[in-house]
Amino acid sequence: MGLLTIGAFAKASRLSPKALRLYDELGLLPPARVDAVTGYRLYAPEQLERARLVAWLRRLGMPLARIQRVCALDAGPAAQEIRTFWAQVEADTAARRDLATFLVDHLSRKESAMPTTAAPLEIRYAALSDKGLVRESNQDTAYAGAHLLAVADGYGSQGAPASAAAVDVFKRLEADGIPAGSLLDVLEDAVEEARRAVHGVTGSVTGGVSGTGSPDGGVGTTLTAMLWTGSQLALVHIGDSRVYLLRGGELHRITHDHTLVQSMVDDGRLDAEEAASHPQRSLLVRALGPGADVTPDLRLHDPRPGDRYLLCSDGLSTVAPIGEIHRILSGVAEPERAVRALVALANDSGGPDNVSCVVADVVEARG
């Protein structure tokens, strides 16, 4: 078969002549020959495979610069690049879905706001952090106050000041209060301020997104916080610290780990058992740190009297059986005793990491 005109090639490849001219200018899909007299672009039949790949990648929404990289790769690496791109798309979509849910809930509550006769609620709380049995220092920060519950798990050479800096930013919201009408803006601003604060304390230390014990030199922190507005708890979550809710005797995890291994579970490439023993189970894909994706999960929770919330670093969740965590949360009445029991549980399980716990009970306010 001879060379194809741009019209014939466009039809065969399902790319428009306009797109083909653009891809020629970008060097992505240059024609096999350009007629010296007419200037017509002519394409070789063997270029159809690349053209069809470009067309499909455009339908995926992949940027042209990234398509150029994919087309320059062999089949195996190209497939991996597409897989990585799509994982990022799904993560972005999930973040937008969470934001949409947050906005719908927030605006719906404003629309239906009316005086209530229900008894006002408050939280009773306790926080405890421990370096564990193996680590030389504690890079976690745990905090509990009348309006803020927070756990941050620092990593890298400046992990301790990074986690403290992130939590310190959110502590200011306790003093300033949280106007209901600007809740989302307040949370977004606080996350950005925390990012800058962490970057400030990490200084010139650089590196990719990391996890505890990772070799790439990453520095930063996770951040999981709940802000009490007086009637709701607003959740801000980045990383792999967790929040559990004990309600009606049942324990529910209400956060999603931002780790490479969790993304592999979400993609169906690992099951839960494989994930628990995976050597990269602590490698973060979102964190507060240089070069990291700092997009937070944001949610609103309607507390009920009798609810108990647990915020914890992975020093508890990755070593202690969930049944034992459930047993302590169900059976130990006072938050102060509960956090001590949970830290002891982590250390009895080997204490390989720093461990931080915050327990908060939702109760009717005292008159």
Side-chain angles (χ1 to χ4, degrees):
M1 182 186 296
L3 296 179
L4 302 174
T5 66
I6 190 171
F9 191 77
K11 184 176 181 180
S13 65
R14 299 188 179 183
L15 289 168
S16 69
K18 181 179 180 180
L20 288 172
R21 286 190 286 269
L22 172 62
Y23 300 159
D24 177 17
E25 294 171 3
L26 295 175
L28 177 60
L29 194 60
R33 184 166 68 87
V34 177
D35 188 282
V37 177
T38 63
Y40 289 163
R41 293 171 172 85
L42 301 171
Y43 294 82
E46 54 266 28
Q47 291 182 280
L48 281 172
E49 182 176 359
R50 177 175 177 133
R52 287 167 179 155
L53 175 60
V54 171
W56 284 112
L57 293 176
R58 287 300 288 162
R59 289 186 66 178
L60 282 179
M62 184 178 286
L64 289 173
R66 195 157 188 173
I67 291 176
Q68 285 181 304
R69 293 204 302 271
V70 171
C71 289
L73 297 171
D74 293 333
Q80 180 58 45
E81 180 71 13
I82 295 170
R83 185 180 294 113
T84 301
F85 168 75
W86 193 247
Q88 291 173 342
V89 171
E90 290 182 324
D92 291 343
T93 300
R96 289 196 297 271
R97 181 178 62 245
D98 287 343
L99 177 57
T101 300
F102 185 101
L103 287 170
V104 169
D105 286 349
H106 182 55
L107 294 174
S108 297
R109 295 171 206 277
K110 289 181 66 177
E111 178 68 22
S112 60
M114 60 183 64
T116 177
T117 58
L121 301 176
E122 64 182 16
I123 54 175
R124 296 176 186 167
Y125 47 83
L128 185 62
S129 186
D130 186 83
K131 72 181 182 69
L133 303 181
V134 175
R135 304 280 175 164
E136 294 182 357
S137 62
N138 190 355
Q139 295 187 304
D140 284 3
T141 298
Y143 176 82
H147 295 93
L148 174 68
L149 314 169
V151 166
D153 181 357
Y155 58 83
S157 61
Q158 298 294 311
S163 67
V167 172
D168 284 346
V169 168
F170 275 76
K171 283 183 185 178
R172 297 171 199 160
L173 298 181
E174 284 212 297
D176 298 340
I178 308 169
S182 57
L183 178 60
L184 183 58
D185 289 340
V186 169
L187 297 179
E188 186 176 44
D189 290 347
V191 170
E192 172 58 21
E193 187 177 350
R195 183 197 67 78
R196 292 196 302 267
V198 169
H199 191 276
V201 300
T202 58
S204 60
V205 179
T206 60
V209 182
S210 177
T212 303
S214 293
D216 66 354
V219 176
T221 185
T222 71
L223 176 66
T224 299
M226 300 193 82
L227 292 112
W228 176 249
T229 68
S231 60
Q232 295 172 299
L233 282 164
L235 170 67
V236 179
H237 171 61
I238 306 170
D240 64 350
S241 297
R242 292 182 176 179
V243 179
Y244 292 91
L245 167 63
L246 181 68
R247 173 177 284 176
E250 296 186 0
L251 188 63
H252 311 273
R253 176 154 67 102
I254 60 176
T255 52
H256 193 72
D257 293 346
H258 299 145
T259 61
L260 176 64
V261 165
Q262 183 61 57
S263 68
M264 295 170 73
V265 172
D266 296 341
D267 292 343
R269 288 182 280 160
L270 290 178
D271 61 28
E273 185 176 348
E274 292 169 328
S277 58
H278 196 282
Q280 293 182 309
R281 60 186 177 275
S282 295
L283 190 66
L284 298 170
V285 295
R286 288 198 230 171
L288 288 169
D293 179 357
V294 300
T295 306
D297 290 344
L298 298 172
R299 291 191 181 91
L300 288 173
H301 286 265
D302 287 317
R304 301 176 187 173
D307 283 352
R308 169 167 277 190
Y309 287 88
L310 165 66
L311 288 71
C312 64
S313 63
D314 66 344
L316 175 68
S317 59
T318 60
V319 301
I322 190 63
E324 288 299 296
I325 295 174
H326 190 181
R327 178 185 61 80
I328 290 173
L329 290 174
S330 301
V332 180
E334 293 299 319
E336 293 83 357
R337 291 178 54 223
V339 293
R340 288 198 298 269
L342 289 165
V343 169
L345 173 64
N347 287 334
D348 290 344
S349 301
D353 196 1
N354 307 148
V355 55
S356 292
C357 300
V358 173
V359 170
D361 294 336
V362 180
V363 298
E364 292 186 0
R366 301 169 191 173

